[in-house]
Amino acid sequence: MKEKTLKRLSLTLLAVSQLILALDYTIIFVGLPSIAADLGFSANSLQWVVSAFSLVYGGFLLIGGRLSDLLGRRRMFIIATALFGLGSLIGGIVNSEIMLILARAIQGLGGALLSPATLSLIMSNFAEGKERNHAMSVWAAMGGVGLSLGLLLGGVLTNYFGWEAIFLVNVPITILIILLSPVALQESKVKSTTRHYDFAGTVSVTAGMILVVYYLIQSPLEGWLNRVTVIPGIIGLCLLLLFIIIEKRTIEPLIPSRIIRIRSLVSATISAALFSASFGTLYYFLTLYTQEVLHYNAIQSGVSFLPLTLSALVGSKFINRMISTVGIAGTLGSGMGLGVIGFMILTQLSANNSFLVMIPGTIIIGLGQAFVFTTMFIAAGLGIEPKEQGIASAIINTGQQIGSAIGLAVIMAIVSAISNTSGSLEQMETALLTDAVHMALFIEAIIAVIGVIVAFSLRQKKSSSLLANK
């Protein structure tokens, strides 16, 4: 009985950690107008409240995965949770632009260390088969639900308690997780005699990723060929090429060559990137629609996402049944296909609608989101050795993060080119902004179609049926 209780507690801790990471991705959107008003952010500097998190998170994921493998997943889980909690505390008490951006960067660092440690702990604390599949589905479901729940919770907290609450709400949760982790979670790490950390590879890939992500998030504002963004982008690419050279020569590479030849991990990582580029960017554009076109306040905007949240939660209950019926590839493809349908339905939104018109499309998208988000992580775990669980989870999380940055950058570039405007979408007139949102939704549908194609490259009947056993 005690063992079962500890299993439940460990799964709860891991699921909650995934939930707050996902929440943090979207919860900030609803609070941005209030943050700008209180702290005096300009339109250009305000985006760094979002970008600082993405920049650090994306840059440090790979080293976070490697540190989890070598130093211990539970140890890194506790350290990362503490960093995330510290960033949240600073974010809730600051009164200046630079300190809030710094707080978001600390949150990003905590997230980069926390995400691979969390997934690795699921692999090491739960036995392969029914137990691990259940744990994985609960963990991933919390991530999918958290993306949509963040907007609702952000609206409620901002409206009733102020934007500071969207940061401070994390503090007691992270403290509780830290206190319970030594009791509920078993330590797991790679036994290595050399303790080689591939310092050169770590520095080159981290700096390279940060500079490339910087280029992607700044170019829509500064210009794709502006030297302010192009020079860091080129340096970043050069550093990533240097990283590849270093990895071929080092004794214990940050990313073992064997792991990048695993077809299921590569396909799952591409699926994660496409998921973030389509489903992940939806929240930004629908938030613009509800607040700038329908003129909803923070809580009304958050409530408009409730159908998506509930449908994602319902969809997570059917994951195992879907996998046992149509396999991993079929479940991923079905989720992406539902996304295509939902995005196309939402292209019918107009300036005269209410959020009720959003319900059919968001419900379908929520179901698709649950299928894709959960299954892509299950697919990423196929054929991964215990000693490589941390770096494998970091790879798929990197794909997810880079997909979001590239997806939003590409969509914004296309929308700006077709609309013939260089200003931010928030500054557009209502009719033009509505057209821009339609355009973004259509592009997201195209990305999801590509996702359907990639999903079916994951056809591995034997592995799929094995994972689906209950």
Side-chain angles (χ1 to χ4, degrees):
M1 185 66 178
K2 184 179 179 181
E3 184 179 352
K4 288 185 178 180
T5 302
L6 285 176
K7 290 284 187 183
R8 291 194 191 98
L9 180 58
S10 62
L11 180 55
T12 300
L13 292 181
L14 296 171
V16 170
S17 69
Q18 175 68 358
L19 178 65
I20 61 174
L21 276 180
L23 282 171
D24 204 68
Y25 179 77
T26 54
I27 198 172
I28 194 70
F29 288 150
V30 179
L32 287 178
S34 299
I35 292 173
D38 285 357
L39 299 184
F41 275 92
S42 65
N44 286 338
S45 60
L46 183 63
Q47 60 99 20
W48 277 103
V49 177
V50 176
S51 299
F53 180 89
S54 300
L55 197 65
V56 178
Y57 188 102
F60 283 87
L61 267 170
L62 291 175
I63 184 57
R66 187 59 174 161
L67 288 175
S68 291
D69 287 338
L70 294 177
L71 297 181
R73 283 98 185 216
R74 186 179 66 182
R75 179 185 297 177
M76 287 308 301
F77 179 81
I78 294 172
I79 292 172
T81 303
L83 277 172
F84 190 85
L86 175 63
S88 299
L89 176 62
I90 295 173
I93 62 177
V94 298
N95 57 5
S96 70
E97 294 182 38
I98 188 65
M99 287 302 297
L100 183 60
I101 293 172
L102 176 62
R104 289 289 286 167
I106 295 173
Q107 280 188 314
L109 179 59
L113 302 179
L114 181 60
S115 190
T118 304
L119 185 54
S120 299
L121 284 168
I122 286 183
M123 304 296 285
S124 60
N125 278 256
F126 296 90
E128 186 175 356
K130 178 182 177 180
E131 184 180 75
R132 185 181 295 174
N133 291 344
H134 171 69
M136 185 73 77
S137 65
V138 172
W139 173 84
M142 286 302 97
V145 169
L147 288 173
S148 48
L149 184 61
L151 291 166
L152 173 61
L153 185 60
V156 172
L157 291 175
T158 301
N159 191 71
Y160 290 109
F161 303 102
W163 62 265
E164 296 88 350
I166 66 180
F167 291 95
L168 295 177
V169 70
N170 293 322
V171 177
I173 298 174
T174 54
I175 291 174
L176 189 59
I177 291 174
I178 291 169
L179 293 176
L180 293 176
S181 293
V183 177
L185 299 173
Q186 298 177 11
E187 184 58 284
S188 168
K189 63 181 177 180
V190 176
K191 293 182 180 179
S192 175
T193 56
T194 62
R195 309 289 289 180
H196 180 69
Y197 289 94
D198 186 14
F199 179 77
T202 297
V203 172
S204 60
V205 74
T206 302
M209 290 288 291
I210 287 175
L211 291 173
V212 168
V213 173
Y214 171 81
Y215 172 75
L216 292 172
I217 61 181
Q218 280 295 102
S219 290
L221 294 173
E222 303 288 348
W224 293 93
L225 299 178
N226 191 314
R227 64 180 181 178
V228 173
T229 55
V230 168
I231 293 176
I234 293 174
I235 295 173
L237 287 175
C238 291
L239 286 171
L240 293 179
L241 290 174
L242 176 62
F243 169 70
I244 294 173
I245 296 172
I246 292 171
E247 293 302 278
K248 290 181 179 181
R249 296 170 179 244
T250 190
I251 300 172
E252 289 189 26
L254 185 65
I255 302 179
S257 59
R258 188 195 78 84
I259 204 172
I260 60 177
R261 291 196 295 267
I262 298 175
R263 179 184 173 191
S264 56
L265 177 61
V266 174
S267 297
T269 302
I270 296 172
S271 293
L274 294 171
F275 170 82
S276 292
S278 52
F279 288 80
T281 57
L282 171 72
Y283 297 98
Y284 173 72
F285 293 105
L286 282 190
T287 301
L288 274 179
Y289 173 74
T290 55
Q291 292 193 344
E292 302 296 332
V293 176
L294 300 184
H295 303 293
Y296 286 176
N297 61 30
I299 192 167
Q300 289 173 322
S301 179
V303 168
S304 68
F305 286 88
L306 185 58
L308 197 159
T309 304
L310 294 177
S311 65
L313 187 59
V314 170
S316 68
K317 304 295 184 182
F318 295 93
I319 298 298
N320 285 337
R321 188 179 302 176
M322 282 288 293
I323 293 176
S324 64
T325 303
V326 298
I328 288 178
T331 305
L332 272 176
S334 298
M336 285 292 190
L338 287 170
V340 175
I341 296 171
F343 295 139
M344 293 308 296
I345 290 175
L346 289 179
T347 60
Q348 304 306 308
L349 296 175
S350 74
N352 300 318
N353 291 152
S354 72
F355 89 94
L356 295 176
V357 181
M358 293 169 52
I359 292 177
T362 53
I363 286 177
I364 293 172
I365 289 171
L367 291 172
Q369 174 179 286
F371 292 166
V372 177
F373 194 88
T374 304
T375 311
M376 68 190 190
F377 283 104
I378 293 176
L382 296 173
I384 303 299
E385 296 180 6
K387 66 179 182 179
E388 297 168 343
Q389 290 165 358
I391 194 64
S393 63
I395 288 172
I396 188 171
N397 276 289
T398 299
Q400 186 183 357
Q401 191 67 28
I402 295 300
S404 176
I406 292 177
L408 187 58
V410 168
I411 293 172
M412 292 289 286
I414 295 174
V415 169
S416 297
I418 295 178
S419 302
N420 195 26
T421 178
S422 58
S424 66
L425 297 185
E426 291 87 344
Q427 298 171 339
M428 286 185 174
E429 296 179 0
T430 299
L432 289 176
L433 179 56
T434 304
D435 290 340
V437 171
H438 288 167
M439 211 176 306
L441 289 164
F442 184 72
I443 298 169
E444 287 167 346
I446 294 174
I447 296 171
V449 169
I450 299 172
V452 173
I453 297 170
V454 171
F456 284 99
S457 71
L458 264 169
R459 284 192 178 278
Q460 295 181 14
K461 295 182 180 179
K462 184 176 179 180
S463 298
S464 298
S465 59
L466 178 64
L467 276 171
N469 288 336
K470 299 179 69 177

Short mmCIF file of all heavy atoms in Angstrom, two decimals, residues 308-341:
data_model
loop_
_atom_site.label_atom_id
_atom_site.label_comp_id
_atom_site.label_asym_id
_atom_site.label_seq_id
_atom_site.Cartn_x
_atom_site.Cartn_y
_atom_site.Cartn_z
N LEU A 308 -11.64 24.61 -25.12
CA LEU A 308 -10.42 23.95 -25.59
C LEU A 308 -9.78 23.18 -24.44
O LEU A 308 -9.34 22.02 -24.61
CB LEU A 308 -9.46 25.00 -26.15
CG LEU A 308 -8.32 24.50 -27.05
CD1 LEU A 308 -7.80 25.64 -27.92
CD2 LEU A 308 -7.17 23.90 -26.26
N THR A 309 -9.74 23.80 -23.25
CA THR A 309 -9.15 23.14 -22.08
C THR A 309 -9.89 21.86 -21.74
O THR A 309 -9.28 20.80 -21.51
CB THR A 309 -9.19 24.09 -20.87
OG1 THR A 309 -8.53 25.31 -21.19
CG2 THR A 309 -8.53 23.46 -19.66
N LEU A 310 -11.21 21.93 -21.70
CA LEU A 310 -12.02 20.77 -21.32
C LEU A 310 -11.92 19.65 -22.36
O LEU A 310 -11.84 18.47 -22.00
CB LEU A 310 -13.48 21.19 -21.14
CG LEU A 310 -13.75 22.16 -19.96
CD1 LEU A 310 -15.21 22.56 -19.94
CD2 LEU A 310 -13.35 21.52 -18.64
N SER A 311 -11.93 20.02 -23.63
CA SER A 311 -11.84 18.99 -24.67
C SER A 311 -10.47 18.33 -24.67
O SER A 311 -10.34 17.12 -24.93
CB SER A 311 -12.14 19.58 -26.05
OG SER A 311 -11.17 20.53 -26.44
N ALA A 312 -9.41 19.09 -24.35
CA ALA A 312 -8.07 18.50 -24.24
C ALA A 312 -8.02 17.51 -23.08
O ALA A 312 -7.40 16.44 -23.19
CB ALA A 312 -7.03 19.60 -24.03
N LEU A 313 -8.68 17.86 -21.98
CA LEU A 313 -8.73 16.96 -20.83
C LEU A 313 -9.49 15.68 -21.16
O LEU A 313 -9.06 14.58 -20.81
CB LEU A 313 -9.38 17.67 -19.64
CG LEU A 313 -9.37 16.93 -18.31
CD1 LEU A 313 -7.94 16.62 -17.87
CD2 LEU A 313 -10.08 17.75 -17.24
N VAL A 314 -10.61 15.82 -21.85
CA VAL A 314 -11.39 14.65 -22.26
C VAL A 314 -10.59 13.79 -23.24
O VAL A 314 -10.55 12.57 -23.13
CB VAL A 314 -12.73 15.09 -22.91
CG1 VAL A 314 -13.43 13.90 -23.56
CG2 VAL A 314 -13.63 15.72 -21.87
N GLY A 315 -9.93 14.44 -24.19
CA GLY A 315 -9.15 13.70 -25.18
C GLY A 315 -8.04 12.88 -24.57
O GLY A 315 -7.72 11.79 -25.06
N SER A 316 -7.45 13.38 -23.47
CA SER A 316 -6.35 12.65 -22.83
C SER A 316 -6.81 11.30 -22.27
O SER A 316 -5.99 10.39 -22.08
CB SER A 316 -5.74 13.50 -21.71
OG SER A 316 -6.65 13.67 -20.63
N LYS A 317 -8.11 11.16 -22.00
CA LYS A 317 -8.63 9.91 -21.45
C LYS A 317 -8.67 8.79 -22.49
O LYS A 317 -8.81 7.62 -22.14
CB LYS A 317 -10.05 10.14 -20.91
CG LYS A 317 -10.18 11.24 -19.88
CD LYS A 317 -9.44 10.91 -18.61
CE LYS A 317 -9.65 11.98 -17.55
NZ LYS A 317 -8.89 11.71 -16.30
N PHE A 318 -8.57 9.15 -23.77
CA PHE A 318 -8.71 8.16 -24.83
C PHE A 318 -7.39 7.80 -25.50
O PHE A 318 -7.39 7.07 -26.50
CB PHE A 318 -9.69 8.69 -25.90
CG PHE A 318 -11.10 8.86 -25.40
CD1 PHE A 318 -11.54 10.07 -24.91
CD2 PHE A 318 -11.98 7.80 -25.41
CE1 PHE A 318 -12.83 10.25 -24.44
CE2 PHE A 318 -13.28 7.94 -24.95
CZ PHE A 318 -13.70 9.17 -24.46
N ILE A 319 -6.28 8.29 -24.96
CA ILE A 319 -4.99 8.07 -25.60
C ILE A 319 -4.66 6.59 -25.73
O ILE A 319 -4.33 6.09 -26.81
CB ILE A 319 -3.86 8.79 -24.83
CG1 ILE A 319 -4.11 10.30 -24.82
CG2 ILE A 319 -2.51 8.48 -25.46
CD1 ILE A 319 -4.11 10.94 -26.18
N ASN A 320 -4.72 5.85 -24.62
CA ASN A 320 -4.36 4.43 -24.67
C ASN A 320 -5.25 3.65 -25.62
O ASN A 320 -4.79 2.77 -26.34
CB ASN A 320 -4.43 3.82 -23.26
CG ASN A 320 -3.25 4.23 -22.40
OD1 ASN A 320 -2.19 4.60 -22.91
ND2 ASN A 320 -3.42 4.20 -21.09
N ARG A 321 -6.53 3.98 -25.62
CA ARG A 321 -7.46 3.30 -26.52
C ARG A 321 -7.14 3.63 -27.98
O ARG A 321 -7.20 2.76 -28.85
CB ARG A 321 -8.90 3.72 -26.20
CG ARG A 321 -9.96 2.92 -26.95
CD ARG A 321 -11.37 3.37 -26.57
NE ARG A 321 -11.59 3.24 -25.13
CZ ARG A 321 -12.71 3.64 -24.53
NH1 ARG A 321 -13.68 4.22 -25.23
NH2 ARG A 321 -12.86 3.49 -23.23
N MET A 322 -6.79 4.87 -28.23
CA MET A 322 -6.42 5.26 -29.60
C MET A 322 -5.17 4.52 -30.06
O MET A 322 -5.12 4.00 -31.18
CB MET A 322 -6.18 6.77 -29.66
CG MET A 322 -7.42 7.63 -29.71
SD MET A 322 -8.28 7.52 -31.30
CE MET A 322 -7.09 8.29 -32.38
N ILE A 323 -4.16 4.47 -29.20
CA ILE A 323 -2.90 3.81 -29.57
C ILE A 323 -3.13 2.32 -29.81
O ILE A 323 -2.57 1.74 -30.76
CB ILE A 323 -1.82 4.04 -28.50
CG1 ILE A 323 -1.43 5.52 -28.46
CG2 ILE A 323 -0.59 3.19 -28.78
CD1 ILE A 323 -0.43 5.87 -27.38
N SER A 324 -3.94 1.69 -28.97
CA SER A 324 -4.20 0.26 -29.15
C SER A 324 -5.00 -0.01 -30.41
O SER A 324 -4.91 -1.10 -30.99
CB SER A 324 -4.96 -0.29 -27.93
OG SER A 324 -6.23 0.31 -27.82
N THR A 325 -5.76 0.97 -30.88
CA THR A 325 -6.61 0.78 -32.05
C THR A 325 -5.88 1.14 -33.35
O THR A 325 -5.89 0.36 -34.31
CB THR A 325 -7.88 1.64 -31.95
OG1 THR A 325 -8.57 1.30 -30.75
CG2 THR A 325 -8.80 1.41 -33.14
N VAL A 326 -5.26 2.32 -33.39
CA VAL A 326 -4.66 2.78 -34.65
C VAL A 326 -3.14 2.95 -34.55
O VAL A 326 -2.50 3.35 -35.52
CB VAL A 326 -5.30 4.12 -35.10
CG1 VAL A 326 -6.78 3.93 -35.36
CG2 VAL A 326 -5.09 5.23 -34.07
N GLY A 327 -2.55 2.65 -33.39
CA GLY A 327 -1.11 2.76 -33.24
C GLY A 327 -0.64 4.19 -32.98
O GLY A 327 -1.44 5.13 -33.00
N ILE A 328 0.65 4.32 -32.74
CA ILE A 328 1.22 5.64 -32.46
C ILE A 328 1.10 6.57 -33.66
O ILE A 328 0.70 7.72 -33.54
CB ILE A 328 2.70 5.49 -32.03
CG1 ILE A 328 2.78 4.90 -30.62
CG2 ILE A 328 3.42 6.83 -32.07
CD1 ILE A 328 4.17 4.67 -30.12
N ALA A 329 1.44 6.06 -34.83
CA ALA A 329 1.37 6.89 -36.04
C ALA A 329 -0.05 7.35 -36.30
O ALA A 329 -0.30 8.51 -36.63
CB ALA A 329 1.90 6.11 -37.24
N GLY A 330 -1.00 6.43 -36.14
CA GLY A 330 -2.41 6.77 -36.38
C GLY A 330 -2.93 7.80 -35.39
O GLY A 330 -3.70 8.69 -35.75
N THR A 331 -2.49 7.68 -34.13
CA THR A 331 -2.94 8.64 -33.11
C THR A 331 -2.36 10.03 -33.37
O THR A 331 -3.07 11.04 -33.29
CB THR A 331 -2.53 8.15 -31.71
OG1 THR A 331 -3.02 6.83 -31.49
CG2 THR A 331 -3.09 9.06 -30.63
N LEU A 332 -1.05 10.07 -33.70
CA LEU A 332 -0.44 11.36 -34.04
C LEU A 332 -1.10 11.98 -35.26
O LEU A 332 -1.42 13.17 -35.29
CB LEU A 332 1.06 11.17 -34.31
CG LEU A 332 2.03 11.27 -33.14
CD1 LEU A 332 3.44 10.95 -33.61
CD2 LEU A 332 1.98 12.65 -32.51
N GLY A 333 -1.29 11.15 -36.30
CA GLY A 333 -1.90 11.65 -37.53
C GLY A 333 -3.32 12.13 -37.31
O GLY A 333 -3.74 13.16 -37.86
N SER A 334 -4.08 11.40 -36.48
CA SER A 334 -5.46 11.80 -36.18
C SER A 334 -5.49 13.13 -35.45
O SER A 334 -6.33 14.00 -35.75
CB SER A 334 -6.15 10.73 -35.33
OG SER A 334 -6.23 9.50 -36.01
N GLY A 335 -4.57 13.30 -34.50
CA GLY A 335 -4.52 14.56 -33.76
C GLY A 335 -4.19 15.74 -34.65
O GLY A 335 -4.82 16.80 -34.57
N MET A 336 -3.21 15.56 -35.52
CA MET A 336 -2.86 16.62 -36.47
C MET A 336 -4.02 16.90 -37.43
O MET A 336 -4.30 18.05 -37.77
CB MET A 336 -1.60 16.23 -37.25
CG MET A 336 -0.31 16.33 -36.47
SD MET A 336 0.12 18.05 -36.08
CE MET A 336 1.80 17.84 -35.45
N GLY A 337 -4.69 15.83 -37.85
CA GLY A 337 -5.83 16.01 -38.75
C GLY A 337 -6.96 16.77 -38.09
O GLY A 337 -7.60 17.63 -38.73
N LEU A 338 -7.23 16.49 -36.81
CA LEU A 338 -8.24 17.26 -36.09
C LEU A 338 -7.84 18.73 -36.00
O LEU A 338 -8.69 19.62 -36.08
CB LEU A 338 -8.42 16.68 -34.68
CG LEU A 338 -9.16 15.34 -34.59
CD1 LEU A 338 -9.07 14.77 -33.18
CD2 LEU A 338 -10.63 15.51 -34.99
N GLY A 339 -6.54 18.96 -35.85
CA GLY A 339 -6.06 20.33 -35.83
C GLY A 339 -6.35 21.06 -37.14
O GLY A 339 -6.79 22.21 -37.13
N VAL A 340 -6.12 20.38 -38.26
CA VAL A 340 -6.41 20.97 -39.58
C VAL A 340 -7.87 21.40 -39.65
O VAL A 340 -8.20 22.52 -40.07
CB VAL A 340 -6.09 19.97 -40.71
CG1 VAL A 340 -6.53 20.55 -42.06
CG2 VAL A 340 -4.61 19.64 -40.73
N ILE A 341 -8.78 20.49 -39.24
CA ILE A 341 -10.22 20.78 -39.28
C ILE A 341 -10.56 21.97 -38.39
O ILE A 341 -11.27 22.90 -38.79
CB ILE A 341 -11.02 19.54 -38.85
CG1 ILE A 341 -10.82 18.39 -39.85
CG2 ILE A 341 -12.51 19.88 -38.74
CD1 ILE A 341 -11.39 17.07 -39.39
#
